[in-house]
Amino acid sequence: MTRPHADPHTPADPHTPADTRAPVDPHTPADPHTPADTRAPNTQSPDTATPAPPPSGRDPQTDPAPDPARVPPATLHDRLARRLPGAARAWLDQALDEAAAHPGTHGPIAVWELRLAEAGRRCGTEHADAVRVLILHAARADTAALTRVYRQGTAAERRAVLDALPHLVPGPDALPLVEDALRTNDTRLVAAAVGPYAARHLDPHPWRHAVLKCLFTGVPVDAVDGLARRAHGDPELARMLGDYAAERTAAGRRVPRDLHRVLTLTDPSSTPPTGQRPASRGSDGKES
C-alpha cells in the first residue's frame, strides 16, 4: 500500500492532534522475532509511577480471563477454550498435546518451551499468562525446568512461572524464584510473587518484607494471597508498618492508603478471618 509522504515545508494543521498516527497496514506480517507481550519493568518510584496493575497485572473490570494462579488447570482450560477463537484454540490444543507427549528437554530446548514464547502472538496478550501456565502444567515442569524457564525467559514468561508454582510445586523448593521476583521493581512480577505459593510457603519475616515491597512499589495489597489470615495479630508487621509510615511522613511523602488497611488487619482484637485453613510454611525462606 502506497502512502503519501508529508511535506516537511507544509505547516502543521492546528486542528489536527499532534499524536495522530497512520493506521497499521493489516497486510504487513508481524516480526516473529519480537515477543508480542514482553513488558519492560516498572522502575519508577511510587510517587511518580503510574498506578500499578491489579493482582498479577490483571484488571477484572476489563479482562474477564481467570487468574491462572488461583484457578485449577482443568477449569482454567475450560474457561480459556470458550474465550479463544478457533485458530488460537487449535494452536493451544496442539501445544498442550506436544507438552504432554514430550515433557522433558529434547535437544538444547524443549518444544514446549518454544510454545511459551509464541503464546502471546498465537492467543493474544490478554490470554498469554493462562496459556503459558497450561503449557507448563501439561509439560509437568518440575522445579529445575521452572527455574530454567524463569532464568532464561522474558518478564511475561517469568510471571507465568510464578503463576504456575502453586499447581506444580507442592513444597517450598521454588521459593528462590519468589524471592528473586520480590527483589525486582517490576510491579507485575512482584504481584505474581505474592500469590498462593508465597502464602503457603514464605516464612513470616520475608513475607512481611513482601508486604512492604508491595506498599513501596505501589502494588495493591489485594495481590497478597492470604493477607488477612497472615497479618492478623502480627505485632512485628504492625511495627514495621508504623516505622515505614513514620519514615514517609518525616520525608514529607504520602503514606500509601493500603498501609492503613494492612495495619488494621494486624489488630489482635479484630475478628480473625474464617473459612481459611492455615497454610504450611517453608523453613528456608530468605529475607528479601
Side-chain angles (χ1 to χ4, degrees):
M1 178 185 296
T2 304
R3 298 185 178 87
H5 296 283
D7 185 348
H9 302 292
T10 302
D13 184 350
H15 301 291
T16 301
D19 61 349
T20 300
R21 300 173 177 82
V24 177
D25 186 350
H27 302 290
T28 301
D31 183 357
H33 301 292
T34 302
D37 55 357
T38 301
R39 302 170 177 88
N42 182 348
T43 56
Q44 294 176 296
S45 71
D47 289 334
T48 59
T50 55
S56 301
R58 304 169 186 91
D59 185 348
Q61 300 300 321
T62 59
D63 180 9
D67 186 338
R70 294 168 174 83
V71 176
T75 304
L76 183 64
H77 180 269
D78 290 344
R79 294 183 183 180
L80 189 58
R82 291 195 295 267
R83 289 176 170 86
L84 291 176
R89 189 165 58 250
W91 179 88
L92 174 61
D93 289 342
Q94 179 180 350
L96 295 179
D97 288 343
E98 290 173 340
H102 305 286
T105 302
H106 297 267
I109 189 170
V111 64
W112 56 264
E113 293 184 57
L114 298 175
R115 301 298 174 253
L116 294 176
E118 298 175 11
R121 179 163 55 89
R122 295 286 191 169
C123 298
T125 56
E126 69 273 26
H127 302 301
D129 287 357
V131 168
R132 292 190 177 104
V133 168
L134 289 175
I135 292 173
L136 289 168
H137 186 264
R140 303 188 291 280
D142 58 13
T143 302
L146 292 168
T147 300
R148 182 178 66 251
V149 172
Y150 182 92
R151 299 297 183 193
Q152 300 176 357
T154 64
E157 290 162 10
R158 291 184 173 194
R159 188 171 64 253
V161 168
L162 295 169
D163 285 342
L165 293 181
H167 306 305
L168 293 170
V169 185
D173 297 347
L175 277 176
L177 304 183
V178 172
E179 293 159 358
D180 181 84
L182 289 172
R183 285 190 290 268
T184 74
N185 286 324
D186 184 332
T187 56
R188 292 176 180 267
L189 280 181
V190 172
V194 293
Y197 188 79
R200 296 173 192 167
H201 301 294
L202 203 58
D203 272 350
H205 189 58
W207 182 84
R208 295 181 189 113
H209 279 277
V211 173
L212 286 176
K213 180 76 173 192
C214 289
L215 295 172
F216 179 76
T217 57
V219 172
V221 294
D222 284 337
V224 183
D225 200 83
L227 175 65
R229 173 182 56 79
R230 295 202 61 168
H232 179 73
D234 188 339
E236 179 60 16
L237 178 58
R239 182 196 66 77
M240 294 169 68
L241 292 170
D243 290 347
Y244 181 59
E247 292 173 4
R248 302 278 297 183
T249 301
R253 306 174 75 180
R254 65 177 181 83
V255 176
R257 183 180 303 175
D258 272 354
L259 185 145
H260 300 290
R261 176 181 168 192
V262 180
L263 190 59
T264 300
L265 294 174
T266 66
D267 182 1
S269 65
S270 64
T271 303
T274 58
Q276 291 182 318
R277 298 172 57 188
S280 61
R281 301 174 190 176
S283 58
D284 59 348
K286 301 176 183 177
E287 180 179 352
S288 59

